[in-house]
Amino acid sequence: MSLIALGVTGGIGAYKAVEIARGLQKEGHDVVAVMTRSARRFVTPLTFEAITRREVITGQWKPGTNADIEHISLASGIALLLVAPATANTLGRFAHGIADDFLSSLYLATTAPVVLAPAMNTNMFAHPAVVENLRVLRSHGVRIVEPGSGYLACGWIGKGRLAEPEDIVAYVRHVLRPSPTPLTGRRVLVTAGPTYENIDPVRYIGNRASGRMGFALAAEAVARGAMVTLVSGPTALEPPHGVELVQVRSAAEMHEAVMARAAAQDVVIMAAAVADYTLDAAPQKIAKSDGSLVLALSRTRDILAEVGALPSRAEGRPVLVGFAAETHEVLDRARSKLTRKGADLIVANDVSRRDAGFEVETNAVTLVTSSEVEEVCLQSKTGVAARILDRVAALVERREHPTAAS
Ligand code: CTP
C-alpha cells in the first residue's frame, strides 16, 4: 500500500476528488488530501477527512505543521502526487516554480511522480499561456491526464471538464505499476489517422485510415509508463487519457509536428496513413464545368524517411517504426521499406484482407526487422499494439545495451 498525496485545488470539479480519493483507497492506497484555500470554498476539509481518515492538510502556517517541516517530510514519504482538479492557476504556479502554499511547496519538494488532471473553462484551457505551461510541465516530467470534452459547469460546451474519476484512478494505477517496463519514462511519439489534402475550401483528398491502430499503440504505450505524444490526423476517436495530443490535418502539418519533436524521442511510431501526394488548394470553391477536371498533384515529404535519416542514436535518433499497407508481395515490399526508410521495424499490413487494416477493429500484421520476421495473428488492435510494443521495447533495450543482446 502506498501513500498518495491528493492535491485538490479550487475548481468546480473539486467535489469529484472525493470519488477519486475513494477510488485510490479501493486500489489499496492510503490517501492524504492537501487542499488549497480556494478548494476549501468548494468542498470542506471535513469531507476528505471522513473519507481518508487522515487529517487534511490545508496550510503551511498552522502551528505544529512545521515541527518536522511537513511539506518536506510528506514530500519524501509519498509514492505519488496527484492534483485533481488542477486549475489554470495551479498549472501556472507549478510550471514557474512558485511555492506560495503547501501544495506548491510539496510539488517542488517531492521527487515522486506527479500527475495533474487539469479542469477549467474551454477558452482558459486553449489559452496560449495555459498551453505553454502544460508544455513546460511535461518537459519537467509531469504527467497530464487530459480533460474531457462536453458540457462544462460554466455553461460552455468544449474541452476542459475534469477527466472521469475512474480514468484518473486507472492512470495512477499505470504510473504506479510495481515493475517498471522497458518503456517506463520513455518518450514515445505515435502518428495516427489519415491526412487531408485540401482541394479547395470545401473538398479534400483523404484516405480510409480510422486512426484506431495508432490510438491503440498510444494507449498501450501510456499503460507501459511511457510519456506519449500522439500526432493525429482527423479522426472521430477520443484520445487515450495521458497522451499529449497534437492534432494536424495535412501531410505538411504532420511533417512539421513530427520533425519538431522527433530528435527528443526514444521511439517514433509512424502509424498514420500519410498522403503521398498533395496539391495547391484553390482559394475559392471550384465550380464544375463541362470538361474533366485535372488536378496537378505533387509529392509530399516522406516523414518516416526523414526521421530515419536523423543522426545515429548516439546523437539522438529514436527507434523508428513504420507501417506498410500492402496488397501484394507483402514481405518483400516491407523489407525494402525497412532499408529504404532507415526504420528499425516495419509493421506490414495485408490490406487486401477484409478483417485486417482499415476501418475494422482487428488487425493481423507481420513484424519485419533486419534480422527477424514475426507473424502476429488476427486479433484486436489493442492486442496487436501490445505485440508491437514488446518488439519496440526489445529494440530500445538492444540499442542501449548492444553487447548484452548479441
Ligand atoms: N509515411 C510517411 N510520410 C509520408 C508517407 C508515408 O512518414 N509522406 C509513412 C507512413 O506513416 C508509414 C509508411 O511511411 O509508416 C508507409 O510507407 P509508404 O512508402 O508511404 O507506403 P505506401 O504508400 O503504403 O507504399 P508505396 O511505397 O508502395 O507507395
Side-chain angles (χ1 to χ4, degrees):
M1 175 154 103
S2 2
L3 177 63
I4 294 180
L6 172 61
V8 186
T9 72
I12 182 67
Y15 74 94
K16 289 195 193 168
V18 177
E19 212 177 312
I20 296 169
R22 263 195 187 291
L24 293 173
Q25 286 175 316
K26 277 194 201 141
E27 303 258 316
H29 302 298
D30 196 3
V31 178
V32 54
V34 180
M35 299 183 76
T36 62
R37 203 162 41 146
S38 328
R40 301 200 300 276
R41 291 175 176 263
F42 289 94
V43 193
T44 69
L46 192 62
T47 313
F48 284 98
E49 195 172 292
I51 297 286
T52 63
R53 298 180 183 280
R54 270 179 172 268
E55 190 178 340
V56 174
I57 301 175
T58 53
Q60 211 154 5
W61 311 120
K62 204 181 74 174
T65 309
N66 292 291
D68 62 350
I69 318 195
E70 200 175 353
H71 64 264
I72 304 292
S73 67
L74 185 64
S76 52
I78 54 174
L80 182 133
L81 168 62
L82 166 68
V83 182
T87 56
N89 180 44
T90 305
L91 301 181
R93 284 185 304 136
F94 284 13
H96 295 278
I98 296 168
D100 59 355
D101 67 359
F102 190 96
L103 183 61
S104 47
S105 305
L106 177 65
Y107 166 71
L108 287 187
T110 192
T111 54
V114 178
V115 176
L116 305 182
M120 64 199 75
N121 162 274
T122 308
N123 283 354
M124 290 172 80
F125 189 69
H127 194 283
V130 173
V131 172
E132 176 60 11
N133 286 338
L134 284 169
R135 190 195 62 73
V136 169
L137 288 165
R138 282 195 176 95
S139 75
H140 293 170
V142 170
R143 292 147 200 272
I144 309 292
V145 186
E146 290 282 325
S149 299
Y151 185 77
L152 305 183
C154 53
W156 287 55
I157 293 174
K159 188 164 178 177
R161 193 174 62 185
L162 182 67
E164 292 306 320
E166 67 265 26
D167 289 335
I168 296 175
V169 172
Y171 190 88
V172 167
R173 186 186 316 134
H174 290 312
V175 175
L176 289 179
R177 263 159 100 102
S179 45
T181 80
L183 294 180
T184 302
R186 305 281 181 180
R187 289 175 193 274
V188 175
L189 183 147
V190 181
T191 67
T195 61
Y196 288 178
E197 309 305 314
N198 287 345
I199 298 173
D200 66 18
V202 294
R203 305 179 180 96
Y204 60 85
I205 299 175
N207 62 65
R208 290 170 51 200
S210 66
R212 284 197 194 101
M213 192 63 239
F215 276 52
L217 280 160
E220 182 63 23
V222 169
R224 293 177 186 219
M227 300 172 74
V228 181
T229 304
L230 176 59
V231 178
S232 176
T235 76
L237 305 175
E238 270 289 309
H241 278 300
V243 305
E244 178 197 7
L245 180 68
V246 180
Q247 286 172 298
V248 297
R249 181 175 168 87
S250 63
E253 284 175 16
M254 186 168 280
H255 175 272
E256 194 186 331
V258 174
M259 295 315 291
R261 297 168 174 82
Q265 306 296 320
D266 295 296
V267 178
V268 170
I269 305 177
M270 289 288 311
V274 188
D276 290 323
Y277 295 91
T278 187
L279 67 168
D280 287 328
Q284 289 172 336
K285 187 179 165 210
I286 302 170
K288 62 181 162 303
S289 60
D290 289 340
S292 22
L293 173 68
V294 178
L295 297 172
L297 303 183
S298 56
R299 282 294 301 269
T300 55
R301 295 168 77 169
D302 190 323
I303 310 167
L304 182 60
E306 284 191 35
V307 178
L310 286 175
S312 69
R313 176 64 195 163
E315 294 147 68
R317 178 162 104 53
V319 165
L320 183 59
V321 181
F323 275 67
E326 309 292 2
T327 52
H328 57 288
E329 296 167 359
V330 177
L331 204 54
D332 284 350
R333 295 173 61 84
R335 280 207 177 100
S336 117
K337 236 163 242 181
L338 189 74
T339 34
R340 210 161 15 97
K341 302 209 184 196
D344 300 289
L345 169 64
I346 290 286
V347 181
N349 246 359
D350 182 351
V351 286
S352 61
R353 293 173 59 145
R354 290 185 49 191
D355 51 3
F358 290 137
E359 293 174 338
V360 289
E361 300 284 351
T362 51
N363 210 354
V365 298
T366 310
L367 307 185
V368 183
T369 65
S370 58
S371 56
E372 283 157 312
V373 172
E374 183 192 345
E375 297 288 343
V376 179
C377 63
L378 185 73
Q379 56 191 293
S380 70
K381 288 187 174 171
T382 304
V384 174
R387 273 311 294 138
I388 295 172
L389 287 182
D390 286 346
R391 259 306 151 92
V392 167
L395 287 167
V396 169
E397 293 212 307
R398 194 173 312 162
R399 182 163 278 185
E400 278 166 23
H401 310 287
T403 45
S406 56

